Amino acid sequence: MTEDAPKNTPREHRNRVLKGASIITGVNNSEISCTIRNMHHNGAELRVPVDARIPERFLLYVPVDGIGYRAVVRWRKSDRVGVQFEGTAPKPAWHYG
């Protein structure tokens, strides 16, 4: 790393996207609607309602991709949540999307 490089540069480039998604929790299969703002193969930045109670671990289901990502919260600031992916899972059978 050169001295001119910022100290807080992201490790991977995140592609800007605008995808609807659902945070699916383990509590009675409840879900919270969210928007994916940027994404790469290891994680994403989500926009969520400010008052939403987001669990530390959850399934992030992305209907347009037909994929569920097992996600872990790494940071939260206001309505933005950064998550790291730990793998994928099939679409929940009960989900309408």
Side-chain angles (χ1 to χ4, degrees):
M1 181 157 75
T2 66
E3 289 182 23
D4 296 329
K7 292 180 181 177
N8 294 327
T9 55
R11 288 186 218 160
E12 296 187 52
H13 174 73
R14 291 186 178 205
N15 295 316
R16 286 184 174 209
V17 297
L18 184 59
K19 295 181 180 181
S22 296
I23 295 170
I24 300 174
T25 70
V27 181
N28 297 324
N29 292 328
S30 63
E31 73 181 274
I32 301 164
S33 294
C34 66
T35 304
I36 301 173
R37 300 297 301 184
N38 61 57
M39 185 175 194
H40 62 79
H41 70 278
N42 285 328
E45 179 184 321
L46 313 176
R47 289 284 170 106
V48 300
V50 174
D51 59 348
R53 298 181 68 190
I54 310 297
E56 181 181 339
R57 294 178 182 277
F58 56 86
L59 182 69
L60 178 67
Y61 179 61
V62 185
V64 298
D65 296 342
I67 297 175
Y69 297 93
R70 290 190 307 274
V72 178
V73 173
R74 291 298 175 211
W75 57 267
R76 180 165 188 173
K77 183 174 183 179
S78 186
D79 66 340
R80 297 170 35 213
V81 177
V83 298
Q84 179 179 354
F85 298 145
E86 293 188 321
T88 59
K91 176 187 123 157
W94 56 268
H95 195 275
Y96 59 88

Coordinates of all heavy atoms in Angstrom, one line a residue:
M1 N 0.9 -1.2 0.0 CA 0.0 0.0 0.0 C 0.9 1.2 0.0 O 1.9 1.3 0.7 CB -0.9 0.0 1.2 CG -1.8 1.2 1.3 SD -3.3 0.9 2.3 CE -2.7 1.0 3.9
T2 N 0.5 2.2 -0.8 CA 1.3 3.4 -0.9 C 0.9 4.4 0.2 O -0.2 4.3 0.8 CB 1.2 4.1 -2.2 OG1 -0.2 4.6 -2.3 CG2 1.6 3.2 -3.4
E3 N 1.7 5.3 0.5 CA 1.4 6.3 1.6 C 0.2 7.2 1.2 O -0.5 7.7 2.1 CB 2.6 7.2 1.9 CG 3.7 6.4 2.6 CD 4.9 7.3 2.9 OE1 4.7 8.5 3.0 OE2 6.0 6.7 3.1
D4 N 0.0 7.4 -0.1 CA -1.1 8.2 -0.6 C -2.5 7.5 -0.5 O -3.5 8.2 -0.6 CB -0.8 8.7 -2.0 CG 0.4 9.6 -2.1 OD1 0.7 10.3 -1.1 OD2 1.0 9.5 -3.1
A5 N -2.5 6.2 -0.4 CA -3.7 5.5 -0.4 C -4.5 5.7 0.9 O -3.9 5.8 2.0 CB -3.5 4.0 -0.5
P6 N -5.8 6.0 0.9 CA -6.6 6.1 2.1 C -6.5 4.9 3.0 O -6.4 3.8 2.5 CB -8.0 6.4 1.6 CG -7.9 6.7 0.1 CD -6.6 6.1 -0.3
K7 N -6.5 5.1 4.3 CA -6.4 4.0 5.2 C -7.7 3.1 5.2 O -7.6 1.9 5.5 CB -6.1 4.5 6.6 CG -4.7 5.1 6.7 CD -4.5 5.6 8.1 CE -3.1 6.2 8.2 NZ -2.8 6.7 9.5
N8 N -8.8 3.7 4.9 CA -10.1 3.0 5.0 C -10.6 2.5 3.7 O -11.8 2.5 3.5 CB -11.2 3.8 5.7 CG -10.8 4.1 7.2 OD1 -10.2 3.2 7.8 ND2 -11.1 5.2 7.7
T9 N -9.8 2.2 2.7 CA -10.3 1.8 1.4 C -10.9 0.4 1.6 O -10.4 -0.5 2.3 CB -9.1 1.7 0.4 OG1 -8.1 0.9 0.9 CG2 -8.6 3.1 0.1
P10 N -12.0 0.2 0.9 CA -12.7 -1.1 0.9 C -11.8 -2.2 0.3 O -11.0 -1.9 -0.6 CB -13.9 -1.0 0.1 CG -13.8 0.3 -0.6 CD -12.7 1.1 0.0
R11 N -11.9 -3.4 0.8 CA -11.1 -4.5 0.3 C -11.5 -4.9 -1.1 O -10.7 -5.4 -1.9 CB -11.2 -5.7 1.2 CG -10.4 -5.5 2.5 CD -10.5 -6.7 3.4 NE -10.6 -6.4 4.8 CZ -11.1 -7.2 5.7 NH1 -11.4 -8.4 5.4 NH2 -11.2 -6.7 6.9
E12 N -12.8 -4.9 -1.4 CA -13.3 -5.3 -2.7 C -14.2 -4.2 -3.2 O -14.9 -3.5 -2.5 CB -14.0 -6.6 -2.5 CG -13.2 -7.7 -2.1 CD -14.0 -9.0 -2.1 OE1 -14.6 -9.3 -3.2 OE2 -14.0 -9.7 -1.1
H13 N -14.2 -4.1 -4.6 CA -15.1 -3.1 -5.2 C -16.5 -3.7 -5.1 O -16.7 -4.8 -5.4 CB -14.7 -2.9 -6.7 CG -15.7 -2.1 -7.4 ND1 -15.7 -0.7 -7.2 CD2 -16.6 -2.4 -8.3 CE1 -16.7 -0.2 -8.0 NE2 -17.2 -1.2 -8.7
R14 N -17.4 -2.8 -4.7 CA -18.8 -3.2 -4.6 C -19.5 -2.6 -5.8 O -19.5 -1.4 -5.9 CB -19.4 -2.8 -3.3 CG -18.9 -3.6 -2.1 CD -19.6 -3.2 -0.9 NE -19.1 -4.0 0.2 CZ -19.8 -4.3 1.3 NH1 -21.0 -3.9 1.4 NH2 -19.3 -5.1 2.2
N15 N -20.2 -3.4 -6.5 CA -21.0 -2.9 -7.7 C -22.3 -2.2 -7.1 O -23.0 -2.8 -6.3 CB -21.4 -4.0 -8.6 CG -20.1 -4.6 -9.2 OD1 -19.3 -3.9 -9.7 ND2 -20.1 -5.9 -9.3
R16 N -22.6 -1.0 -7.6 CA -23.8 -0.3 -7.3 C -25.0 -1.1 -7.9 O -24.9 -1.4 -9.1 CB -23.8 1.1 -7.8 CG -23.0 2.0 -7.0 CD -23.1 3.4 -7.4 NE -22.3 4.2 -6.5 CZ -22.6 5.5 -6.3 NH1 -23.6 6.1 -6.9 NH2 -21.9 6.2 -5.5
V17 N -26.0 -1.4 -7.1 CA -27.2 -2.1 -7.6 C -28.4 -1.4 -6.9 O -28.2 -0.7 -6.0 CB -27.1 -3.6 -7.3 CG1 -26.0 -4.3 -8.0 CG2 -27.1 -3.9 -5.8
L18 N -29.5 -1.8 -7.4 CA -30.8 -1.4 -6.8 C -31.7 -2.6 -6.9 O -32.4 -2.7 -7.9 CB -31.3 -0.1 -7.4 CG -32.6 0.5 -6.8 CD1 -32.3 0.8 -5.3 CD2 -33.1 1.7 -7.6
K19 N -31.6 -3.4 -5.9 CA -32.4 -4.6 -5.9 C -33.3 -4.7 -4.6 O -32.8 -4.4 -3.5 CB -31.5 -5.9 -5.9 CG -30.7 -6.1 -7.1 CD -29.9 -7.3 -7.0 CE -29.0 -7.6 -8.2 NZ -28.3 -8.8 -8.1
G20 N -34.5 -5.1 -4.8 CA -35.4 -5.4 -3.7 C -35.0 -6.7 -3.0 O -34.6 -7.6 -3.8
A21 N -35.1 -6.8 -1.7 CA -34.7 -8.0 -1.0 C -35.6 -8.1 0.2 O -36.2 -7.2 0.7 CB -33.2 -8.0 -0.7
S22 N -35.5 -9.3 0.9 CA -36.1 -9.5 2.1 C -35.2 -10.1 3.2 O -34.4 -11.0 2.8 CB -37.3 -10.5 2.0 OG -38.3 -10.0 1.1
I23 N -35.2 -9.5 4.3 CA -34.4 -10.1 5.5 C -35.4 -11.0 6.1 O -36.4 -10.6 6.6 CB -34.0 -8.9 6.4 CG1 -33.0 -8.0 5.7 CG2 -33.4 -9.5 7.7 CD1 -32.7 -6.8 6.5
I24 N -35.0 -12.3 6.1 CA -35.9 -13.3 6.7 C -35.2 -13.8 8.0 O -34.1 -14.3 8.0 CB -36.1 -14.5 5.7 CG1 -36.7 -14.0 4.4 CG2 -36.9 -15.6 6.4 CD1 -36.8 -15.0 3.3
T25 N -36.0 -13.6 9.1 CA -35.5 -13.9 10.4 C -36.0 -15.3 10.8 O -36.9 -15.9 10.2 CB -35.9 -12.9 11.4 OG1 -37.3 -13.0 11.6 CG2 -35.6 -11.5 11.0
G26 N -35.4 -15.8 11.8 CA -35.8 -17.1 12.4 C -37.0 -17.1 13.2 O -37.5 -18.1 13.7
V27 N -37.6 -15.9 13.5 CA -38.7 -15.7 14.3 C -40.0 -15.8 13.5 O -40.4 -14.9 12.8 CB -38.7 -14.4 15.1 CG1 -39.9 -14.2 16.0 CG2 -37.4 -14.2 15.8
N28 N -40.7 -17.0 13.5 CA -41.9 -17.2 12.8 C -41.8 -16.8 11.3 O -42.7 -16.3 10.7 CB -43.1 -16.4 13.4 CG -43.4 -16.9 14.8 OD1 -43.3 -18.1 15.1 ND2 -43.7 -16.0 15.7
N29 N -40.6 -17.0 10.8 CA -40.3 -16.7 9.3 C -40.8 -15.3 9.0 O -41.3 -15.0 7.9 CB -41.0 -17.7 8.4 CG -40.4 -19.0 8.5 OD1 -39.2 -19.2 8.7 ND2 -41.2 -20.1 8.4
S30 N -40.6 -14.3 9.9 CA -40.9 -12.9 9.7 C -39.9 -12.4 8.7 O -38.8 -12.8 8.6 CB -40.9 -12.1 11.0 OG -39.7 -12.1 11.5
E31 N -40.3 -11.3 8.0 CA -39.4 -10.7 7.0 C -39.5 -9.2 7.0 O -40.5 -8.6 7.4 CB -39.7 -11.2 5.6 CG -40.9 -10.8 4.9 CD -41.0 -11.4 3.5 OE1 -40.4 -10.9 2.6 OE2 -41.7 -12.4 3.4
I32 N -38.4 -8.6 6.7 CA -38.3 -7.1 6.7 C -37.8 -6.8 5.2 O -36.8 -7.3 4.7 CB -37.2 -6.7 7.7 CG1 -37.6 -7.1 9.1 CG2 -37.0 -5.2 7.6 CD1 -36.4 -7.0 10.1
S33 N -38.6 -5.9 4.6 CA -38.2 -5.5 3.2 C -37.0 -4.6 3.3 O -36.9 -3.7 4.2 CB -39.4 -4.8 2.6 OG -40.5 -5.7 2.4
C34 N -36.1 -4.7 2.3 CA -35.0 -3.8 2.3 C -34.6 -3.6 0.8 O -35.1 -4.3 -0.1 CB -33.8 -4.4 3.1 SG -33.1 -5.9 2.5
T35 N -33.6 -2.8 0.6 CA -33.0 -2.5 -0.7 C -31.5 -2.8 -0.7 O -30.9 -2.3 0.2 CB -33.3 -1.1 -1.2 OG1 -34.7 -0.9 -1.1 CG2 -32.8 -0.8 -2.6
I36 N -31.0 -3.5 -1.7 CA -29.6 -3.7 -1.8 C -29.0 -2.5 -2.6 O -29.5 -2.3 -3.7 CB -29.2 -5.0 -2.4 CG1 -29.8 -6.2 -1.6 CG2 -27.7 -5.1 -2.6 CD1 -29.6 -7.5 -2.3
R37 N -28.1 -1.8 -2.0 CA -27.5 -0.6 -2.7 C -26.2 -0.9 -3.4 O -25.9 -0.3 -4.4 CB -27.3 0.6 -1.7 CG -28.6 1.0 -1.0 CD -29.6 1.6 -1.9 NE -29.0 2.7 -2.6 CZ -29.6 3.5 -3.4 NH1 -30.8 3.3 -3.8 NH2 -28.9 4.5 -4.0
N38 N -25.4 -1.7 -2.8 CA -24.2 -2.2 -3.5 C -23.9 -3.6 -3.0 O -24.3 -4.0 -2.0 CB -23.0 -1.2 -3.4 CG -22.6 -1.0 -1.9 OD1 -22.3 -1.9 -1.2 ND2 -22.6 0.3 -1.5
M39 N -23.1 -4.3 -3.9 CA -23.0 -5.7 -3.6 C -21.7 -6.3 -4.3 O -21.3 -5.8 -5.3 CB -24.2 -6.4 -4.1 CG -24.4 -7.9 -3.9 SD -26.0 -8.4 -4.5 CE -26.1 -10.0 -3.8
H40 N -21.1 -7.2 -3.6 CA -20.0 -8.0 -4.3 C -20.2 -9.5 -3.8 O -21.1 -9.7 -3.0 CB -18.6 -7.5 -4.0 CG -18.2 -7.4 -2.6 ND1 -17.8 -8.5 -1.9 CD2 -18.3 -6.4 -1.7 CE1 -17.5 -8.2 -0.6 NE2 -17.8 -6.9 -0.5
H41 N -19.4 -10.4 -4.2 CA -19.6 -11.8 -3.8 C -19.5 -12.1 -2.3 O -19.9 -13.1 -1.9 CB -18.8 -12.7 -4.7 CG -17.3 -12.7 -4.4 ND1 -16.5 -11.7 -4.9 CD2 -16.5 -13.5 -3.6 CE1 -15.2 -11.9 -4.4 NE2 -15.3 -13.0 -3.6
N42 N -18.8 -11.2 -1.6 CA -18.7 -11.5 -0.1 C -19.6 -10.7 0.8 O -19.6 -10.9 2.0 CB -17.2 -11.2 0.3 CG -16.3 -12.2 -0.1 OD1 -16.6 -13.4 -0.2 ND2 -15.1 -11.8 -0.4
G43 N -20.4 -9.7 0.2 CA -21.2 -8.9 1.1 C -22.0 -7.9 0.3 O -22.0 -7.8 -0.9
A44 N -22.7 -7.0 1.1 CA -23.6 -6.0 0.5 C -23.8 -4.9 1.5 O -23.6 -5.1 2.7 CB -24.9 -6.6 0.1
E45 N -24.3 -3.8 1.0 CA -24.8 -2.7 1.8 C -26.3 -2.6 1.6 O -26.8 -2.6 0.4 CB -24.2 -1.4 1.5 CG -24.8 -0.2 2.3 CD -24.3 1.1 1.9 OE1 -23.1 1.3 1.6 OE2 -25.1 2.1 1.9
L46 N -27.1 -2.7 2.7 CA -28.5 -2.7 2.6 C -29.1 -1.4 3.1 O -28.5 -0.7 4.0 CB -29.1 -3.8 3.4 CG -28.5 -5.2 3.3 CD1 -29.1 -6.2 4.3 CD2 -28.6 -5.7 1.9
R47 N -30.3 -1.0 2.6 CA -31.0 0.1 3.2 C -32.3 -0.5 3.8 O -33.0 -1.3 3.2 CB -31.5 1.1 2.1 CG -30.4 1.9 1.5 CD -29.9 3.0 2.5 NE -28.7 3.7 2.1 CZ -28.7 4.9 1.6 NH1 -29.8 5.6 1.4 NH2 -27.5 5.4 1.2
V48 N -32.5 -0.2 5.1 CA -33.6 -0.8 5.9 C -34.3 0.4 6.6 O -33.8 1.5 6.7 CB -33.0 -1.8 6.9 CG1 -32.3 -2.9 6.2 CG2 -32.1 -1.1 7.9
P49 N -35.5 0.1 7.0 CA -36.2 1.1 7.8 C -35.4 1.4 9.1 O -34.8 0.5 9.7 CB -37.5 0.4 8.2 CG -37.7 -0.6 7.1 CD -36.4 -1.1 6.7
V50 N -35.3 2.7 9.4 CA -34.4 3.1 10.6 C -34.8 2.3 11.9 O -34.0 2.0 12.6 CB -34.5 4.6 10.8 CG1 -33.8 5.0 12.0 CG2 -34.0 5.3 9.6
D51 N -36.1 2.1 12.1 CA -36.6 1.5 13.3 C -36.6 -0.1 13.2 O -37.1 -0.7 14.1 CB -37.9 2.0 13.7 CG -39.0 1.8 12.6 OD1 -38.6 1.4 11.5 OD2 -40.2 2.0 12.9
A52 N -36.2 -0.6 12.1 CA -36.2 -2.1 11.9 C -35.2 -2.8 12.9 O -34.1 -2.3 13.1 CB -35.9 -2.5 10.5
R53 N -35.7 -3.8 13.5 CA -34.8 -4.6 14.4 C -34.2 -5.8 13.6 O -34.9 -6.8 13.3 CB -35.7 -5.2 15.6 CG -36.2 -4.0 16.4 CD -37.0 -4.5 17.6 NE -36.1 -5.1 18.5 CZ -36.5 -5.8 19.6 NH1 -37.7 -6.0 19.8 NH2 -35.6 -6.4 20.4
I54 N -33.0 -5.6 13.2 CA -32.3 -6.5 12.4 C -31.5 -7.5 13.2 O -30.6 -7.1 14.0 CB -31.3 -5.8 11.4 CG1 -32.0 -4.7 10.6 CG2 -30.7 -6.8 10.4 CD1 -33.2 -5.1 9.8
P55 N -31.7 -8.8 13.1 CA -30.9 -9.7 13.9 C -29.5 -9.8 13.4 O -29.2 -9.4 12.3 CB -31.6 -11.1 13.7 CG -32.3 -10.9 12.4 CD -32.7 -9.5 12.2
E56 N -28.6 -10.3 14.2 CA -27.2 -10.4 13.9 C -26.9 -11.3 12.6 O -26.1 -11.0 11.8 CB -26.4 -10.9 15.0 CG -24.9 -11.0 14.8 CD -24.1 -11.6 16.0 OE1 -24.6 -11.5 17.1 OE2 -23.0 -12.0 15.7
R57 N -27.7 -12.4 12.6 CA -27.6 -13.3 11.4 C -29.0 -13.5 10.9 O -30.0 -13.6 11.6 CB -27.1 -14.7 11.9 CG -25.6 -14.6 12.4 CD -25.2 -16.0 12.9 NE -23.8 -15.9 13.4 CZ -22.7 -16.0 12.6 NH1 -22.9 -16.2 11.3 NH2 -21.5 -15.9 13.2
F58 N -29.1 -13.6 9.5 CA -30.3 -13.8 8.9 C -30.1 -14.3 7.4 O -29.0 -14.3 6.9 CB -31.2 -12.5 8.9 CG -30.4 -11.3 8.2 CD1 -30.5 -11.1 6.8 CD2 -29.7 -10.4 9.0 CE1 -29.8 -10.0 6.3 CE2 -29.0 -9.4 8.4 CZ -29.1 -9.2 7.0
L59 N -31.2 -14.6 6.8 CA -31.2 -15.0 5.4 C -31.7 -13.8 4.6 O -32.7 -13.2 4.8 CB -32.1 -16.2 5.1 CG -32.2 -16.7 3.6 CD1 -30.8 -17.3 3.3 CD2 -33.3 -17.7 3.4
L60 N -30.9 -13.3 3.6 CA -31.2 -12.2 2.8 C -31.7 -12.8 1.4 O -30.9 -13.4 0.7 CB -30.0 -11.3 2.5 CG -30.2 -10.2 1.6 CD1 -31.2 -9.1 2.2 CD2 -28.9 -9.5 1.3
Y61 N -33.0 -12.8 1.2 CA -33.5 -13.4 0.0 C -33.7 -12.3 -1.1 O -34.3 -11.3 -0.8 CB -34.8 -14.1 0.2 CG -35.4 -14.7 -1.0 CD1 -34.7 -15.7 -1.7 CD2 -36.6 -14.2 -1.6 CE1 -35.1 -16.2 -2.9 CE2 -37.1 -14.7 -2.8 CZ -36.3 -15.7 -3.4 OH -36.8 -16.2 -4.6
V62 N -33.1 -12.6 -2.3 CA -33.1 -11.6 -3.4 C -34.0 -12.2 -4.5 O -33.4 -13.1 -5.3 CB -31.7 -11.3 -3.9 CG1 -31.7 -10.2 -5.0 CG2 -30.8 -10.9 -2.7
P63 N -35.2 -11.9 -4.6 CA -36.1 -12.5 -5.6 C -35.6 -12.5 -7.1 O -35.7 -13.4 -7.8 CB -37.4 -11.8 -5.5 CG -37.4 -11.2 -4.1 CD -36.0 -10.9 -3.8
V64 N -35.1 -11.3 -7.5 CA -34.6 -11.2 -8.9 C -33.5 -12.2 -9.2 O -33.3 -12.6 -10.4 CB -34.3 -9.8 -9.3 CG1 -35.4 -8.9 -9.2 CG2 -33.1 -9.3 -8.6
D65 N -32.7 -12.6 -8.2 CA -31.6 -13.5 -8.4 C -32.1 -14.9 -8.1 O -31.4 -15.9 -8.4 CB -30.4 -13.1 -7.5 CG -29.8 -11.8 -7.9 OD1 -30.0 -11.3 -9.0 OD2 -29.1 -11.3 -7.1
G66 N -33.2 -15.1 -7.3 CA -33.6 -16.4 -6.9 C -32.7 -17.0 -5.9 O -32.6 -18.3 -5.8
I67 N -31.9 -16.2 -5.1 CA -30.9 -16.7 -4.2 C -31.2 -16.2 -2.8 O -31.5 -15.0 -2.7 CB -29.5 -16.3 -4.7 CG1 -29.2 -17.0 -6.0 CG2 -28.4 -16.7 -3.7 CD1 -27.9 -16.5 -6.6
G68 N -30.9 -17.0 -1.8 CA -30.9 -16.5 -0.5 C -29.4 -16.6 0.0 O -28.7 -17.5 -0.2
Y69 N -29.0 -15.5 0.6 CA -27.6 -15.4 1.1 C -27.7 -15.4 2.7 O -28.4 -14.7 3.3 CB -27.0 -14.0 0.7 CG -26.8 -13.9 -0.7 CD1 -27.8 -13.2 -1.5 CD2 -25.7 -14.3 -1.4 CE1 -27.7 -13.1 -2.9 CE2 -25.6 -14.2 -2.8 CZ -26.5 -13.5 -3.5 OH -26.4 -13.4 -4.8
R70 N -26.9 -16.3 3.3 CA -26.8 -16.3 4.7 C -25.9 -15.1 5.1 O -24.7 -15.1 4.6 CB -26.2 -17.7 5.2 CG -27.1 -18.8 5.0 CD -26.7 -20.1 5.7 NE -25.3 -20.5 5.4 CZ -25.0 -21.3 4.3 NH1 -26.0 -21.7 3.5 NH2 -23.8 -21.6 4.1
A71 N -26.4 -14.2 5.8 CA -25.7 -12.9 6.1 C -25.5 -12.7 7.6 O -26.2 -13.1 8.4 CB -26.6 -11.8 5.5
V72 N -24.4 -12.0 7.8 CA -24.0 -11.5 9.2 C -23.8 -10.0 9.2 O -23.1 -9.5 8.3 CB -22.7 -12.2 9.6 CG1 -22.3 -11.8 11.0 CG2 -22.8 -13.7 9.6
V73 N -24.4 -9.3 10.1 CA -24.3 -7.9 10.2 C -22.9 -7.6 10.6 O -22.4 -8.1 11.6 CB -25.3 -7.3 11.2 CG1 -25.0 -5.8 11.4 CG2 -26.7 -7.5 10.7
R74 N -22.2 -6.7 9.9 CA -20.8 -6.2 10.2 C -20.9 -4.8 10.8 O -20.0 -4.4 11.5 CB -19.9 -6.3 9.0 CG -19.6 -7.7 8.7 CD -18.9 -8.4 9.8 NE -18.7 -9.8 9.6 CZ -18.6 -10.7 10.5 NH1 -18.8 -10.4 11.8 NH2 -18.4 -12.0 10.2
W75 N -21.8 -4.0 10.3 CA -22.0 -2.6 10.8 C -23.4 -2.1 10.5 O -24.1 -2.6 9.7 CB -20.9 -1.7 10.2 CG -20.9 -1.6 8.7 CD1 -20.2 -2.4 7.8 CD2 -21.7 -0.7 7.9 NE1 -20.5 -2.0 6.5 CE2 -21.4 -1.0 6.5 CE3 -22.6 0.2 8.1 CZ2 -22.0 -0.4 5.4 CZ3 -23.2 0.9 7.1 CH2 -22.9 0.6 5.7
R76 N -23.7 -1.0 11.2 CA -25.0 -0.4 11.0 C -24.9 1.1 11.3 O -24.3 1.5 12.3 CB -26.1 -1.0 11.9 CG -27.5 -0.3 11.6 CD -28.6 -1.0 12.1 NE -29.8 -0.3 11.7 CZ -31.0 -0.8 11.8 NH1 -31.2 -1.9 12.5 NH2 -32.1 -0.2 11.4
K77 N -25.4 1.9 10.4 CA -25.4 3.4 10.6 C -26.8 3.9 10.1 O -27.0 3.9 8.8 CB -24.3 4.0 9.9 CG -24.2 5.5 10.1 CD -22.9 6.1 9.5 CE -22.9 7.6 9.9 NZ -21.7 8.2 9.3
S78 N -27.6 4.3 10.9 CA -28.9 4.9 10.6 C -29.7 3.8 9.8 O -30.0 2.8 10.3 CB -28.8 6.2 9.8 OG -30.0 6.8 9.5
D79 N -30.0 4.1 8.5 CA -30.8 3.2 7.7 C -29.9 2.3 6.8 O -30.4 1.6 5.9 CB -31.8 3.9 6.8 CG -31.2 4.8 5.8 OD1 -30.0 5.1 5.9 OD2 -31.8 5.2 4.8
R80 N -28.6 2.3 7.0 CA -27.7 1.5 6.3 C -27.1 0.4 7.1 O -26.8 0.6 8.3 CB -26.5 2.4 5.7 CG -27.0 3.4 4.8 CD -26.0 4.4 4.4 NE -24.7 3.9 4.3 CZ -23.5 4.5 4.7 NH1 -23.6 5.8 5.1 NH2 -22.4 4.0 4.5
V81 N -27.0 -0.8 6.5 CA -26.5 -2.0 7.2 C -25.5 -2.7 6.3 O -25.9 -3.0 5.1 CB -27.6 -3.0 7.6 CG1 -27.0 -4.2 8.2 CG2 -28.6 -2.3 8.5
G82 N -24.3 -2.9 6.7 CA -23.3 -3.7 6.0 C -23.3 -5.2 6.4 O -23.3 -5.4 7.6
V83 N -23.4 -6.1 5.5 CA -23.4 -7.5 5.8 C -22.4 -8.2 5.0 O -21.9 -7.8 4.0 CB -24.8 -8.1 5.5 CG1 -25.9 -7.5 6.3 CG2 -25.2 -8.1 4.0
Q84 N -21.9 -9.3 5.7 CA -21.0 -10.2 5.0 C -21.7 -11.5 4.7 O -22.5 -12.0 5.6 CB -19.8 -10.5 6.0 CG -18.8 -11.5 5.4 CD -17.7 -11.7 6.4 OE1 -17.6 -11.1 7.4 NE2 -16.8 -12.7 6.1
F85 N -21.5 -12.1 3.6 CA -22.2 -13.4 3.2 C -21.3 -14.5 3.7 O -20.1 -14.6 3.6 CB -22.4 -13.5 1.7 CG -23.2 -12.4 1.1 CD1 -23.0 -11.9 -0.2 CD2 -24.3 -11.9 1.8 CE1 -23.8 -10.9 -0.7 CE2 -25.1 -10.9 1.2 CZ -24.9 -10.4 0.0
E86 N -22.1 -15.5 4.2 CA -21.4 -16.8 4.7 C -21.8 -18.0 3.8 O -21.5 -19.1 4.2 CB -21.8 -17.1 6.1 CG -21.3 -16.0 7.1 CD -21.5 -16.4 8.5 OE1 -22.6 -17.0 8.8 OE2 -20.7 -16.2 9.4
G87 N -22.5 -17.7 2.7 CA -22.9 -18.8 1.8 C -24.3 -18.5 1.3 O -24.9 -17.4 1.5
T88 N -24.8 -19.5 0.6 CA -26.2 -19.3 0.0 C -27.1 -20.4 0.5 O -26.7 -21.4 1.1 CB -26.1 -19.4 -1.5 OG1 -25.6 -20.6 -1.9 CG2 -25.3 -18.2 -2.1
A89 N -28.4 -20.2 0.3 CA -29.4 -21.1 0.7 C -30.5 -21.1 -0.3 O -30.7 -20.0 -1.0 CB -29.9 -20.8 2.1
P90 N -31.3 -22.1 -0.5 CA -32.4 -22.1 -1.5 C -33.5 -21.1 -1.0 O -33.6 -20.8 0.2 CB -32.9 -23.5 -1.5 CG -32.4 -24.2 -0.3 CD -31.1 -23.4 0.1
K91 N -34.3 -20.7 -1.9 CA -35.4 -19.9 -1.6 C -36.3 -20.6 -0.6 O -36.6 -21.8 -0.8 CB -36.2 -19.6 -2.9 CG -37.5 -18.8 -2.7 CD -38.3 -18.7 -3.9 CE -39.6 -19.3 -3.6 NZ -40.8 -19.2 -4.1
P92 N -36.8 -19.9 0.4 CA -37.7 -20.5 1.4 C -39.0 -21.0 0.7 O -39.5 -20.2 -0.1 CB -38.0 -19.4 2.4 CG -36.8 -18.5 2.2 CD -36.4 -18.5 0.8
A93 N -39.4 -22.2 0.9 CA -40.6 -22.8 0.3 C -41.8 -21.9 0.5 O -42.7 -21.8 -0.4 CB -40.8 -24.2 0.8
W94 N -41.9 -21.3 1.6 CA -43.2 -20.5 1.9 C -43.1 -19.1 1.3 O -44.1 -18.4 1.3 CB -43.4 -20.4 3.4 CG -42.2 -19.8 4.1 CD1 -41.1 -20.5 4.7 CD2 -41.9 -18.4 4.3 NE1 -40.2 -19.6 5.2 CE2 -40.7 -18.3 5.0 CE3 -42.6 -17.2 4.0 CZ2 -40.1 -17.1 5.3 CZ3 -42.0 -16.0 4.4 CH2 -40.8 -15.9 5.0
H95 N -42.0 -18.6 0.8 CA -41.9 -17.3 0.3 C -42.6 -17.1 -1.0 O -42.4 -17.9 -1.9 CB -40.4 -16.9 0.2 CG -40.2 -15.4 0.1 ND1 -40.2 -14.7 -1.1 CD2 -39.9 -14.4 1.0 CE1 -40.1 -13.4 -0.9 NE2 -39.9 -13.2 0.3
Y96 N -43.3 -16.0 -1.2 CA -44.1 -15.8 -2.4 C -43.3 -15.4 -3.6 O -43.7 -15.4 -4.7 CB -45.2 -14.7 -2.1 CG -44.6 -13.4 -1.6 CD1 -44.2 -12.5 -2.6 CD2 -44.4 -13.1 -0.3 CE1 -43.6 -11.3 -2.2 CE2 -43.8 -12.0 0.1 CZ -43.4 -11.0 -0.8 OH -42.8 -9.9 -0.4
G97 N -42.0 -14.8 -3.4 CA -41.3 -14.2 -4.5 C -40.6 -15.2 -5.4 O -40.5 -16.4 -5.2

